[in-house]
Amino acid sequence: MMEEILALLWEQRGVDFEGDERCGVILQDLQIVELVNESSDPYSSFVITEAQISTHKEALIGIWHTHPRGPANLSIDDYNAVLDLPELIHVILTPRHVCLYGVVDGH
């Protein structure tokens, strides 16, 4: 399943990487849903609200967002999101990379 998710998100690389960070969720049926970035500074961060997540809660398996100008490494906020939502996979897309992050055995 992870290979399928990465392939679907790799196709998303072609999306607009100019401007603000983009974000969304990954559902059990492998649907990739883009959500409104609710960050007060969407140029350099993303926020997905509880209300947005609750809309997809039953089918939610992951969260994705873009790093239009930066590397695919986790920022401190990204790292904290991974730890706060260990049951989900976390994906960062850049113009050149698709990277998957998650918690395995508590790490």
Side-chain angles (χ1 to χ4, degrees), residues 6-62:
L6 291 172
L8 287 168
L9 287 165
W10 183 254
E11 292 172 11
Q12 296 291 317
R13 279 183 325 106
V15 301
D16 178 19
F17 275 96
E18 299 295 321
D20 295 342
E21 286 196 16
R22 296 170 67 180
C23 58
V25 294
I26 306 163
L27 305 180
Q28 287 174 343
D29 65 0
L30 302 185
Q31 184 180 357
I32 308 299
V33 179
E34 185 164 358
L35 301 172
V36 173
N37 182 350
E38 298 289 349
S39 173
S40 61
D41 180 19
Y43 186 78
S44 59
S45 66
F46 82 100
V47 170
I48 296 175
T49 65
E50 287 291 325
Q52 289 172 305
I53 286 178
S54 68
T55 301
H56 303 285
K57 192 165 186 110
E58 296 303 316
L60 186 65
I61 62 168

Side-chain angles (χ1 to χ4, degrees), residues 59-79:
L60 186 65
I61 62 168
I63 294 174
W64 65 270
H65 73 281
T66 62
H67 280 185
R69 291 158 298 286
N73 299 341
L74 293 170
S75 68
I76 297 221
D77 289 337
D78 296 338
Y79 178 76

